[in-house]
């Protein structure tokens, strides 16, 4: 990897990108691939953001430190633009054509396969099998509108185009049903369409991965979106660990002559005549001829980087309306052997949720929102070794446990057993890890005795690792409907900031959180379309002058 020292950098670029997470990397690569000169700035010594892996516990055990699964990326526009080149630079995925996810609780086990018909056929009730196929058929019809909205800027022109296309395709009744599903919670959606509880248990916990809970509006859309995405794209993980994904990007960025300015925090964005025209790093200014892209938190952008005089109504609204979502925790385990699931079908499932669906997940979310440590959290169990056995020595295993229902500043314990005075102290972290392992032990007996070493990222650790995880929230703020879609990041201006030439990207902006690179791709393509349009106008003017 070639890193440009502050003193060796170019004086001026077409674009300067702040923040080298997935959106910053995608934007920089796409802009540079179209011939733009780009600098990519990050305060860390390496690119990747929440994409990293390493031997976090013991030698020979490779863990994805934060994010791990890539269905959003392989299904998105960034991968369509960059995927072939990333694979040429060494990116390799491991995936499954069999069981892709499952949920286990006191109510039993529910599995989903890549094959939607196999998933439907395994449901107990005939009416639920029909309803599952009908749900996916509706998603096929809704897909161009839903995925179109998630893959484009939501300005008036784009919204008008999406609405017109949706009307031609769906007509009145179809549009009303789509809007109704968008207003529904995941709990309401499954109760309306399914007699049994299997689909709820299986797919409602997946709403947590979108920053939602079972009782939030838009769950009625996001639940079938999650199901369709996993059926379509599976759960790809990077062969050998997520660090290989970052290395492929490093090689691609080097090939496209992107200057990486790492280990230095962006200090300010300069604004001249109402236009962003540079980024101050290490006391010197990287000039930006066309654009500055900031993959930062709303607080960092409007309170730290921009001069107060440049923060207009849009920026002030984005800042005032922003609120963080629930905090999260990552637990990494090195095991002397794979989990001994009581239901052996789970042995080969890449990702398992421990929970019974909207009931247990809803309770845990409510407890976290009230500032309490949940008594029975939804445990996300990632078994990357199922797809990639190189992650651990032969016969051994790693586990990637994620908790998405936590308070950043705990005020108590819903079970009344953990003294949270002092916040996330090592004692509180250890006690909560023991609770999580106890919950897992109900379905994989003896799991604690298999643990050779543990590494934990508590909510404060996540913020320390990535300042964009404000208050331990890795999803860029609450994703409830009033802070999502056209209302994200709260300004009503999408990725525009009210400052000419300055664009806000990342999880704090549309289409929100997740390892998809969506906002980086949207803004890069917007800038390139503008550039192409200008070139055509210039050529047309030249032809007119000649004529």
């Amino acid at each position: 990897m070639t890193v440009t020292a502050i003193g060796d950098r170019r004086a001026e670029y077409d674009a300067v990108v702040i923040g080298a997470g997935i959106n910053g990397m995608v934007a920089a690569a796409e802009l540079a691939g179209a011939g733009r000169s780009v600098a990519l700035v990050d305060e860390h010594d390496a690119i990747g953001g929440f994409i990293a892996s390493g031997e976090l516990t013991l030698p020979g055990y490779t863990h994805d430190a934060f994010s791990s699964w890539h269905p959003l990326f392989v299904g998105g526009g960034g991968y369509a633009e960059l995927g072939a080149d990333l694979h040429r630079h060494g990116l390799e995925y491991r995936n499954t054509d069999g069981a892709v996810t499952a949920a286990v609780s006191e109510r039993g086990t529910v599995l989903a396969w890549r094959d939607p018909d196999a998933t439907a056929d395994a449901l107990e009730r005939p009416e639920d099998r029909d309803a599952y196929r009908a749900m996916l058929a509706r998603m096929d019809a809704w897909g161009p509108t839903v995925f179109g909205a998630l893959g484009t800027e939501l300005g008036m022109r784009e919204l008008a185009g999406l609405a017109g296309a949706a009307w031609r395709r769906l007509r009145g009744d179809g549009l009303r049903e789509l809007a109704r599903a968008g207003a529904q919670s995941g709990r309401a959606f499954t109760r309306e369409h399914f007699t049994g509880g299997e689909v709820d248990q299986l797919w409602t916990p997946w709403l947590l991965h979108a920053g939602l809970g079972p009782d939030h509006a838009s769950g009625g859309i996001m639940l079938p979106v999650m199901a369709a995405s996993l059926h379509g794209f599976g759960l790809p993980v990077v062969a050998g660990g997520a660090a290989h994904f970052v290395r492929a990007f490093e090689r691609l960025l080097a090939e496209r002559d992107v200057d990486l300015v790492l280990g230095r925090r962006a200090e300010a964005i300069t604004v001249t005549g109402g236009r962003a025209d540079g980024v101050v790093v290490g006391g010197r200014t990287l000039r930006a001829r066309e654009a500055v892209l900031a993959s930062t938190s709303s607080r960092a952008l409007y309170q730290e980087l921009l001069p107060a005089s440049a923060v207009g109504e849009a920026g002030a609204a984005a800042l005032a309306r922003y609120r963080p979502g629930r905090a999260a925790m990552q637990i990494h385990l090195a095991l002397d052997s794979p989990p001994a699931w009581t239901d052996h079908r789970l042995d080969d499932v890449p990702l398992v949720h421990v929970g019974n669906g909207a009931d247990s997940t809803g309770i845990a979310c409510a407890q976290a929102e009230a500032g309490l440590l949940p008594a029975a959290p939804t445990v996300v169990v990632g078994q990357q070794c199922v797809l990639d056995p190189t992650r651990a020595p032969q016969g051994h295993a790693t586990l990637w446990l994620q908790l998405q229902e936590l308070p950043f500043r705990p005020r108590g314990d819903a079970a009344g057993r953990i003294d949270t005075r002092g916040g996330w102290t090592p004692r509180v972290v250890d006690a909560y890890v023991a609770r999580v392992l106890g919950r897992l032990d109900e379905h994989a007996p003896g799991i604690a005795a298999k643990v050779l070493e543990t590494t934990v990222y508590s909510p404060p650790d996540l913020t320390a690792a990535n300042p964009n995880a404000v208050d331990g929230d890795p999803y860029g703020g609450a994703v409830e409907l009033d802070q999502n879609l056209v209302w994200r990041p709260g300004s009503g201006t999408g990725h525009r900031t009210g400052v000419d030439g300055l664009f806000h990207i990342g999880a704090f902006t549309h289409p929100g959180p997740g390892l998809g690179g969506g906002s980086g791709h949207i803004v890069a393509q917007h800038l390139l379309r503008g550039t192409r349009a200008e070139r055509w106008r210039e050529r047309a003017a030249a032809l007119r002058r000649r004529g």
Side-chain angles (χ1 to χ4, degrees), residues 94 139 207 252 259 401 444 472:
R94 297 282 185 265
M139 271 310 306
L207 295 175
L252 178 59
D259 281 350
L401 306 183

Side-chain angles (χ1 to χ4, degrees), residues 70-96:
H70 288 209
L72 287 180
F73 184 67
V74 301
Y79 183 74
E81 287 286 328
L82 305 173
D85 285 324
L86 290 171
H87 287 295
R88 181 169 55 81
H89 284 295
L91 174 61
E92 185 179 354
Y93 282 121
R94 297 282 185 265
N95 208 338
T96 179

Side-chain angles (χ1 to χ4, degrees), residues 3 62 108 186 203 230 264 315 374 447 458 487 501 506:
V3 180
T62 299
W203 291 116
L230 266 67
R264 297 288 190 119
I447 190 68
S458 69
W487 299 284

Side-chain angles (χ1 to χ4, degrees), residues 111 247 263 343 492:
L111 283 86
R247 291 190 191 110
D343 188 330

Side-chain angles (χ1 to χ4, degrees), residues 1-4 10 25 28-29 32-33 38 40 47 86 88-89 246-260:
M1 176 178 64
T2 301
V3 180
T4 300
R10 305 176 208 177
M25 293 191 299
V38 181
L40 179 58
I47 65 174
L86 290 171
R88 181 169 55 81
H89 284 295
V246 176
R247 291 190 191 110
F249 256 106
E250 289 171 350
R251 294 167 185 147
L252 178 59
L253 294 170
E255 179 180 74
R256 297 186 174 189
D257 202 27
V258 173
D259 281 350
L260 301 182

Side-chain angles (χ1 to χ4, degrees), residues 309-334:
S309 59
V311 179
E313 292 183 5
L319 187 60
R321 294 175 181 175
Y322 165 77
R323 65 181 183 278
R326 298 180 303 274
M329 174 186 282
Q330 299 280 151
I331 304 173
H332 301 287
L333 305 177

Side-chain angles (χ1 to χ4, degrees), residues 4-10 13 259 284:
T4 300
I6 294 295
D8 297 334
R9 75 200 187 288
R10 305 176 208 177
Y13 298 86
D259 281 350
R284 299 188 180 182

